[in-house]
Amino acid sequence: MVTSPAWDAQAFHFAEWLELLAIRNWPQSSSQADLRSLLEGAADDPALFDDSDELDEKAEEIVQSVFEELESRRNWAGAGYPFILQVGTITLANAPDAISNAHLGYLLSLLATYYRHDYYKRLADPKADHDQFPASDKMEDYFQACGTIAAAGLVSGNSVSFGHPRPDHTGFYEKLEEVAGHLIDGSAKKAWTPGTSSNPKDAGVDIVAWRPFPDRQPGHIYLLGQCASGDNWDKKTPLKDYKNFHEDYWTIQPHSPIIAATFIPFDLRYQIRIGNYDTLTDAWHYERWKITRDLGIIVDRFRLAHFFAEGLGIAGNKCFKIDSVDMLAAIKQWVTNGIGFLRP
């Protein structure tokens, strides 16, 4: 079951609903007709509209804004967008058991959003005992894998999955030394030193990505990222974590300026309230500007999908080290199972 948006929802809520409906309906589409039917059924308060003509006019205005939103999503996600938009319809681009690898970043993020913002909130307590979503405990690991590949696309270079538990089962200092060896900018500690955590796990760093210059000298494009697929992502402190990561665990800190990033599977607008702004678009712009100060670049679902596809595009280049590509089959199976959960 997918919860239908209320009449006064924003265009992005309706767009999200149509995408999930397209997954459920495959090989059929979701369409403007589905949206109109929802709107006509939701507008059951006679005080909202003076007559049926006013209702039809408002519904048509919403339908137009929703399909403009879907066009924007396709443009933002680029080759990572998994739906085909035609006149008044939206269709999943591939059969659920034959999803394109390029589309996995978007679909995993969409399913994670559905799970966090809809499905899990409807479960009776204790929620863990009633959770039937397939392999929900693997969602965070697979999202980190998608974030790692997207980071490679973002920097057009190398990307290492550093977050605990690491897919290669390495210890913290072992992985840190590996990263330092590739980075060639600074020198990492090889073991615990007084004043630092006895069990750092990942020290608040999930992804390390970089692109060196041909001269292989210090001074790279250098990104540190956190992956956050829970509702409390905006409470994280990545800038502080990255500072402590360098101060506590490197004998000589990298001097390449850090590109700080936070990877989330959500549409950032879920967190935004219009407040004193005139429109949601204005609020989205200025709130993202403010959030970037505290969490670094926000790589939301649309940015992640775009750069995930680009990361896959360079994954075959032996010049680059890109972790998590070997997890694509497992990610695809998780996405396929999640799609199956939505379908009748």
Side-chain angles (χ1 to χ4, degrees), residues 99-311:
I99 297 298
S100 166
N101 284 345
H103 297 158
L104 292 175
Y106 193 101
L107 287 170
L108 185 143
S109 297
L110 177 61
L111 290 168
T113 302
Y114 163 73
Y115 177 82
R116 294 293 190 201
H117 290 173
D118 186 352
Y119 173 76
Y120 194 76
K121 291 182 177 180
R122 288 188 279 107
L123 294 178
D125 292 323
K127 293 182 183 296
D129 292 348
H130 296 89
D131 187 357
Q132 299 297 312
F133 195 92
S136 60
D137 60 321
K138 292 292 186 181
M139 182 172 62
E140 292 183 3
D141 292 341
Y142 293 151
F143 180 69
Q144 180 173 309
C146 289
T148 301
I149 295 169
L154 199 158
V155 302
S156 297
N158 307 277
S159 186
V160 167
S161 181
F162 196 81
H164 178 84
R166 280 170 282 280
D168 59 8
H169 307 294
T170 53
F172 175 80
Y173 289 101
E174 179 184 357
K175 193 67 174 180
L176 182 63
E177 188 171 2
E178 176 191 325
V179 168
H182 286 294
L183 192 59
I184 319 174
D185 187 352
S187 179
K189 294 180 180 179
K190 294 179 172 53
W192 175 82
T193 54
T196 62
S197 171
S198 59
N199 184 24
K201 294 185 178 179
D202 55 31
V205 175
D206 291 326
I207 298 169
V208 183
W210 69 98
R211 187 176 77 205
F213 290 91
D215 58 20
R216 303 287 296 169
Q217 294 298 311
H220 308 306
I221 296 172
Y222 175 49
L223 178 147
L224 297 180
Q226 286 189 1
C227 295
S229 54
D231 286 336
N232 65 339
W233 65 267
D234 56 338
K235 304 299 189 294
K236 288 181 173 290
T237 57
L239 302 187
K240 177 183 176 183
D241 293 338
Y242 302 159
K243 179 176 180 290
N244 292 343
F245 171 68
H246 282 158
E247 290 184 355
D248 291 350
Y249 301 107
W250 294 72
T251 54
I252 302 173
Q253 298 180 34
H255 281 178
S256 297
I258 300 171
I259 300 171
T262 299
F263 294 75
I264 60 173
F266 313 118
D267 183 329
L268 184 61
R269 288 170 291 186
Y270 275 107
Q271 302 292 118
I272 303 300
R273 300 293 176 267
I274 293 178
N276 294 331
Y277 296 103
D278 293 332
T279 65
L280 179 63
T281 300
D282 289 342
W284 186 28
H285 176 85
Y286 286 106
E287 288 300 306
R288 184 187 281 274
W289 173 73
K290 184 177 73 175
I291 291 171
T292 299
R293 176 194 63 191
D294 300 326
L295 284 87
I297 296 170
I298 303 298
V299 184
D300 59 11
R301 182 196 313 158
F302 313 113
R303 292 178 172 187
L304 182 139
H306 179 98
F307 288 110
F308 180 86
E310 292 203 357

